[in-house]
């Protein structure tokens, strides 16, 4: 999205409570890639319409998006996975402080290795993929089987700073990630079991619904 347009939309968004503002500052200071405001706003609106009872999030970071989802959908149960112990700890503190510990269950570990545990806690009406960009397809295939019939999978960062649309990517470290994200997007768009739309908001949001 054009930067002045996204700034305009952000200026219209209602201000968040103190705890969220504190988390946003921490994320900025420590460069923790929480979801962009315009994108989280769109995702939450889809979720309000979908009204999932149970949500799986891959990539908790400090618990920001988990708490935003929980605020938008107070009845929802959220299972969220974080590989970094310090971030998981920080998320636990914030979730405790927000009084949401009974609604949000943090699983600490690699989402690629938690299949059994996550399955026990499922199935899920919504899955939010927001972790290592190179692994999206693996996450999607692993956890897609735990989605209910009316379920949706939301994937953040699918436009990866525009690199997916660039003819060449100069920075080598981004090149292979851009290629992987392009493969992921193609796979979603051609998938037999899902119908997907890619929304150019924030860093790119894909919404996949079971066919
Ligand atoms: N959803 C959060 C931001 C997540 S940032 C929000 O918007 O508030 C991505 C997070 O995914 C990072 O904290 C990173 O440590 C975590 N992560 C990366 N690979 C992972 C994996 N394989 N399993 C679980 N978490 C992972
Ligand atoms: Mg993200």
């Amino acid at each position: 999205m054009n930067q002045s347009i996204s700034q305009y939309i952000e200026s219209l968004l209602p201000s968040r409570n103190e705890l969220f503002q504190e988390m946003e500052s921490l994320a900025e200071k420590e460069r923790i890639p929480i979801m962009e405001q315009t994108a989280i706003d769109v995702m939450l609106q889809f979720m309000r319409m979908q009204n999932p009872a149970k949500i799986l999030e891959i990539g908790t970071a400090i618990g920001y998006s988990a708490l935003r989802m929980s605020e938008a959908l107070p009845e929802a149960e959220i299972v969220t996975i974080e590989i970094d112990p310090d971030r998981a700890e920080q998320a636990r503190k914030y979730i405790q402080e927000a009084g949401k510990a009974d609604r949000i269950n943090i699983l600490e570990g690699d989402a690629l290795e938690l299949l059994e545990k996550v399955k026990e806690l499922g199935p899920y009406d919504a899955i939010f993929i927001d972790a290592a960009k190179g692994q999206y397809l693996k996450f999607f295939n692993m956890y897609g089987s735990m989605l209910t019939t009316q379920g949706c999978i939301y994937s953040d960062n699918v436009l990866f700073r525009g690199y997916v649309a660039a003819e060449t990517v100069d920075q080598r470290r981004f090149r292979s990630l851009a290629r992987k994200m392009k493969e992921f997007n193609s796979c979603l768009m051609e998938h037999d079991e899902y119908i997907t739309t890619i929304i150019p908001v924030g860093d790119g949001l894909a919404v996949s619904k079971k066919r």
Side-chain angles (χ1 to χ4, degrees):
M1 203 194 314
N2 175 313
Q3 208 192 338
S4 64
I5 301 235
S6 72
Q7 277 168 1
Y8 169 68
I9 295 174
E10 272 197 55
S11 77
L12 295 176
L13 295 175
S15 60
R16 273 80 63 192
N17 69 30
E18 233 169 84
L19 184 65
F20 283 131
Q21 287 179 28
E22 187 187 322
M23 296 174 86
E24 289 164 21
S25 308
L26 179 74
E28 199 179 329
K29 196 176 91 201
E30 299 194 354
R31 295 171 173 235
I32 298 160
I34 60 171
M35 196 181 199
E36 287 182 37
Q37 290 304 327
T38 51
I40 201 162
D41 190 57
V42 169
M43 183 175 78
L44 293 178
Q45 188 74 329
F46 271 97
M47 286 185 174
R48 287 183 199 102
M49 292 188 284
Q50 192 205 343
N51 197 21
K54 200 176 269 187
I55 303 171
L56 170 66
E57 174 179 69
I58 304 169
T60 318
I62 58 172
Y64 184 80
S65 52
L67 281 171
R68 290 290 305 271
M69 291 190 287
S70 189
E71 182 193 47
L73 301 151
E75 299 301 314
E77 251 181 80
I78 301 172
V79 174
T80 181
I81 311 174
E82 175 55 51
I83 199 170
D84 180 319
D86 294 335
R87 286 189 181 172
E89 182 55 31
Q90 186 65 261
R92 256 180 233 114
K93 281 190 194 146
Y94 280 129
I95 287 163
Q96 193 73 43
E97 197 177 331
K100 294 284 192 177
D102 59 332
R103 283 276 175 266
I104 305 174
N105 181 358
I106 303 180
L107 304 182
E108 196 177 312
D110 185 340
L112 294 174
E113 291 168 4
L114 287 171
L115 188 97
E116 286 312 313
K117 179 80 193 152
V118 175
K119 197 171 177 178
E120 268 171 40
L121 298 169
Y124 304 92
D125 307 295
I127 298 177
F128 173 37
I129 303 177
D130 192 19
K133 294 184 187 71
Q135 314 281 4
Y136 271 33
L137 198 52
K138 283 188 193 155
F139 297 141
F140 192 97
N141 289 332
M142 264 178 87
Y143 293 116
S145 64
M146 299 175 197
L147 199 64
T148 53
T149 348
Q150 298 296 316
C152 284
I153 302 184
Y154 301 86
S155 309
D156 187 32
N157 307 100
V158 298
L159 297 179
F160 191 24
R161 312 175 186 197
Y163 293 140
V164 292
E167 260 172 45
T168 56
V169 177
D170 292 335
Q171 299 92 324
R172 184 182 296 167
R173 67 199 170 105
F174 294 148
R175 203 174 297 146
S176 79
L177 281 184
R179 186 173 42 77
K180 284 205 164 167
M181 199 53 96
K182 285 167 79 162
E183 278 167 23
F184 177 68
N185 288 336
S186 304
C187 185
L188 289 188
M189 298 308 278
E190 290 160 12
H191 212 292
D192 293 338
E193 293 163 44
Y194 294 87
I195 183 151
T196 294
T197 183
I198 293 176
I199 306 165
V201 69
D203 199 30
L205 175 68
V207 182
S208 308
K209 188 182 182 307
K210 273 203 175 171
R211 286 185 190 270

